[in-house]
Amino acid sequence: MQNQAATVVVLGTGGTIAGRSANASDNVGYTAGQVGVTQLLQAVPALAGAPLESEQVAQLDSKDMTHAVWRDLAARCAHHLARAEVSGVVVTHGTDTLEETAWFLQRVLAPAKPLVMTAAMRPATALQADGPQNLLDAVAVARHAGARGVVAVLDGRVHGARDVRKVHPYRIDAFDSGDAGAIAAIEEGRLRCFRPWPEGAALGLERVPADGSAWPVVEIVTSHAGARGAAVQALCDSGAHGLVVACTGNGTVHRELEAALVTAQERGVRVLRSTRTRAGRVIGVAGDALPSAEDLTPEKARVELMLSLLSRP
């Protein structure tokens, strides 16, 4: 059920959905973050006359997302979600780091209203741009009476912030939710729900420094054949506060890399193990030298570790 009278606020941050290409048949050689969020809305005839507001928070390619933009975006989301007349907020975003931004916003805000992220795999100038339909679907979710939490809406599916992940570099159906599955499908503007919406306690925006340079330094290293510990030592020497290791299989780590990570942990650097596979979780066993990030992808485990470090007294 939708509240058609309630206001939806659409916040723009750039990305492919706002990209332009000199050739309409070129879906890869474009420049992201060129079209303003107001223009994106105007390109969706079905949204004409709808109670919408728009605001440009940033205009960038999401591969270049920064902690400072995350903080600014979270603040603007919190501001609009607190307004009684607003049913939900939509954020247009690039696909490359959408899952990281989604998890950051869910952990910091855990909103009781829907905070809907959407994006596109093709630029706004494409012959068959996917952005307009994704944006229309995102607004429908933001108006849905039962929706809550941070979700991502792409290709007719609603994914929860914890589960959403990009699994293909080119196709329109580039996102899924791993083992958990999508929360809902959007069918002609109506939602068919499969499982509960995201919940959880908000860490609070006040814990997050406005200055991105004041955030703890957390990096990701990958375990692979022939992995060495030198990279871990170099990162620790450069001031890393935390490390996430993208492991093979069920959290296994090359012995040389693991030895370096254990040494780093003994010296006070926080370490988490994730899996470099795109589904499943790391199932811990007794005697594990390094803690598990459970079902969080390496990128989300990094966000989680940063927020954990920020929450330390």
Side-chain angles (χ1 to χ4, degrees), residues 17-32:
I17 193 171
R20 287 187 183 277
S21 175
N23 185 339
S25 63
D26 187 352
N27 294 321
V28 294
Y30 57 87
T31 302

Side-chain angles (χ1 to χ4, degrees), residues 60-216:
L60 46 72
D61 187 323
S62 79
K63 70 178 177 60
D64 298 319
M65 182 57 67
T66 68
H67 299 158
V69 172
W70 272 355
R71 177 50 165 81
D72 290 345
L73 177 61
R76 297 312 297 158
C77 288
H79 168 78
H80 291 297
L81 289 167
R83 297 167 52 195
E85 71 274 20
V86 171
S87 65
V89 168
V90 171
V91 175
T92 60
H93 198 283
T95 60
D96 284 348
T97 57
L98 180 146
E99 61 202 79
E100 298 168 61
T101 302
W103 185 237
F104 168 74
L105 292 173
Q106 175 62 30
R107 294 292 281 126
V108 171
L109 302 178
K113 294 179 181 180
L115 201 176
V116 187
M117 302 190 66
T118 194
M121 292 299 292
R122 294 175 178 171
T125 51
L127 289 172
Q128 290 186 312
D130 53 324
Q133 184 66 57
N134 287 344
L135 187 50
L136 180 63
D137 289 346
V139 170
V141 174
R143 288 202 175 108
H144 186 71
R148 59 181 293 131
V150 180
V151 297
V153 170
L154 301 118
D155 194 38
R157 292 289 185 271
V158 182
H159 303 282
R162 186 180 187 104
D163 310 304
V164 65
R165 60 204 67 191
K166 188 174 181 179
V167 297
H168 199 280
Y170 178 77
R171 292 194 319 238
I172 296 297
D173 59 336
F175 286 81
D176 74 16
S177 289
D179 294 342
I183 288 174
I186 306 147
E187 300 166 339
E188 297 300 312
R190 296 178 179 275
L191 270 67
R192 181 159 60 98
C193 295
F194 307 130
R195 61 186 184 89
W197 297 84
E199 293 186 346
L203 294 177
L205 192 56
E206 66 278 0
R207 294 180 181 269
V208 182
D211 179 2
S213 65
W215 288 41

